[in-house]
Amino acid sequence: MTTTASEADRAAAHFRFFTMEVLRTRRLGHSFLRVTFGGESLADFRSGGFDQSLSLFLPVGDAEHAELPSTDEDTWFGAWRAMPDEERPVMRSYTVRDQRRTDAGVDEVDIDFVLHGDASPASRWAGRAVTGRRIAAIGPAVAQNKSVRFQPPAGTGTFLMYADETALPAAAAILDRLPAGTAVKAWFEVPHADDRLTLHTAADADITWIVREKGTARADRVVEAVRATELPAADAPYAWLAGEAGTVRAVRRHLVQERSVDRRAVRFTGYWRLGATEEQLLAEAYAGQAPNEDPTSAL
Ligand SMILES: Cc1cc2nc3c(=O)[nH]c(=O)nc-3n(C[C@H](O)[C@H](O)[C@H](O)COP(=O)(O)OP(=O)(O)OC[C@H]3O[C@@H](n4cnc5c(N)ncnc54)[C@H](O)[C@@H]3O)c2cc1C
């Protein structure tokens, strides 16, 4: 029997289920809502920082909480998939923007949600989040885990970063951790001028904000902004690109084909795709996987 990478990860219990409870919410900008979660199980939550992601399970319809058939790390995925469509909790990927233990000993996790309308399950859930509301999540139990995708090789020169609003929480968490003396060129694309959040970093970060304009093809504008930026010659850059899949692909193509960035030094992730729900993206991921293999690692 062959052991897949994701089976090996499960065996090592890199991830486990957590019940998180909304402690408070705070609006960060036009599109962003920070939800701070607590809950006793978070004492075992171990974010690896940077772009650490987790999966949330949202209730279907107007139900208060998602009912999962199993929270056993080895069997949940098959049991969840076997549920009828109309009962299966909705699974969505989000970023651990921050994790802390307060002076009072409370474990807290922040997630920054983009509010993009009431018709989509995760955006709707976040828009209605109130103190005390619970949510199930599968998240990191060890800090070294495969859901931290930002893995620059030793000797990296300049860091190149592209993020749209969905990946801005991850980009901000990466910037939080980059040390002084690190050269960063970043292009951050947001829907509104007041989504240009204040970001903190010790790195030497040159950030270009691209405020989306209605009717402007997003990929073209972003590539134009990257093309207009002078990149240091021959200093082994590492590129981290995340956001809408089509734009991410266009930026990657530009860096590899026009700017000669080594394709092995480009980490790119489509966080969502225009016109496709996460179910549709997962269905595409399932198509290439064994029936019980958890495809969330592909997200
Ligand atoms: C590893 C990873 C980390 C992520 N981290 C974050 C995070 O920290 N914060 C965050 O907000 N998102 C994050 N995302 C993106 C988020 O998972 C998607 O935006 C997801 O589709 C939202 O689910 P939904 O139920 O609101 O919309 P869905 O039901 O999945 O989609 C419904 C429709 O809305 C569109 N859509 C999806 N997202 C957006 C958007 N932001 N703006 C406009 N239209 C959209 C889809 O194309 C589709 O047509 C992350 C994704 C990944 C893979």
Side-chain angles (χ1 to χ4, degrees):
M1 190 183 92
T2 48
T3 303
T4 65
S6 92
E7 282 164 352
D9 278 329
R10 274 199 295 274
H14 283 190
F15 299 97
R16 51 155 287 190
F17 276 90
F18 297 91
T19 300
M20 311 200 298
E21 187 175 315
V22 176
L23 296 179
R24 56 189 177 275
T25 63
R26 181 161 72 91
R27 200 72 186 226
L28 302 179
H30 184 278
S31 308
F32 294 105
L33 181 81
R34 172 162 300 169
V35 180
T36 299
F37 296 93
E40 279 176 21
S41 66
L42 290 182
D44 297 325
F45 193 94
R46 300 277 181 276
S47 171
F50 298 101
D51 54 348
Q52 174 76 65
S53 60
L54 82 177
S55 296
L56 302 177
F57 293 89
L58 304 150
V60 277
D62 291 327
E64 180 78 356
H65 305 296
E67 296 296 339
L68 285 161
S70 162
T71 53
D72 178 283
E73 279 79 35
D74 294 323
T75 59
W76 75 270
F77 184 66
W80 174 77
R81 274 197 79 188
M83 292 176 83
D85 288 352
E86 61 282 6
E87 289 172 23
R88 187 185 309 115
V90 174
M91 180 166 62
R92 293 289 182 262
S93 305
Y94 278 84
T95 301
V96 179
R97 174 63 186 87
D98 201 7
Q99 175 188 10
R100 72 190 84 76
R101 177 165 291 174
T102 67
D103 293 344
V106 179
D107 291 291
E108 296 185 348
V109 165
D110 292 332
I111 297 181
D112 292 350
F113 290 83
V114 174
L115 301 179
H116 64 97
D118 247 15
S120 310
S123 177
R124 183 174 61 237
W125 186 91
R128 295 175 180 180
V130 287
T131 302
R133 193 138 192 224
R134 281 181 287 121
I135 191 168
I138 188 159
V142 294
Q144 296 285 339
N145 64 74
K146 68 186 177 199
S147 295
V148 178
R149 296 162 182 83
F150 182 83
Q151 303 283 354
T156 293
T158 303
F159 288 79
L160 309 176
M161 300 175 74
Y162 161 72
D164 74 2
E165 64 272 32
T166 65
L168 192 60
I174 290 169
L175 286 173
D176 274 353
R177 290 192 168 217
L178 289 180
T182 311
V184 179
K185 288 202 181 288
W187 301 271
F188 295 151
E189 182 195 7
V190 289
H192 293 272
D194 82 344
D195 291 325
R196 292 174 296 176
L197 305 180
T198 304
L199 304 174
H200 301 283
T201 184
D204 180 11
D206 172 13
I207 297 174
T208 302
W209 289 97
I210 302 156
V211 178
R212 202 174 301 137
E213 287 163 10
K214 274 205 173 114
T216 309
R218 44 202 301 155
D220 291 356
R221 262 203 84 200
V222 174
V223 171
E224 203 179 289
V226 179
R227 187 176 281 124
T229 309
E230 201 173 317
L231 302 183
D235 80 337
Y238 174 77
W240 177 90
L241 319 173
E244 196 283 319
T247 306
V248 165
R249 266 201 313 276
V251 176
R252 174 178 179 264
R253 199 178 312 122
H254 168 73
L255 290 176
V256 171
Q257 294 181 359
E258 295 180 41
R259 312 300 284 269
S260 303
V261 174
D262 183 345
R263 65 178 63 242
R264 290 164 305 181
V266 181
R267 187 71 201 238
F268 64 105
T269 314
Y271 273 21
W272 64 290
R273 194 165 75 206
L274 266 175
T277 64
E278 208 169 308
E279 277 78 34
Q280 289 165 314
L281 301 181
L282 281 170
E284 289 171 15
Y286 298 149
Q289 308 234 358
N292 286 317
E293 194 177 340
D294 166 8
T296 51
S297 58
L299 293 177

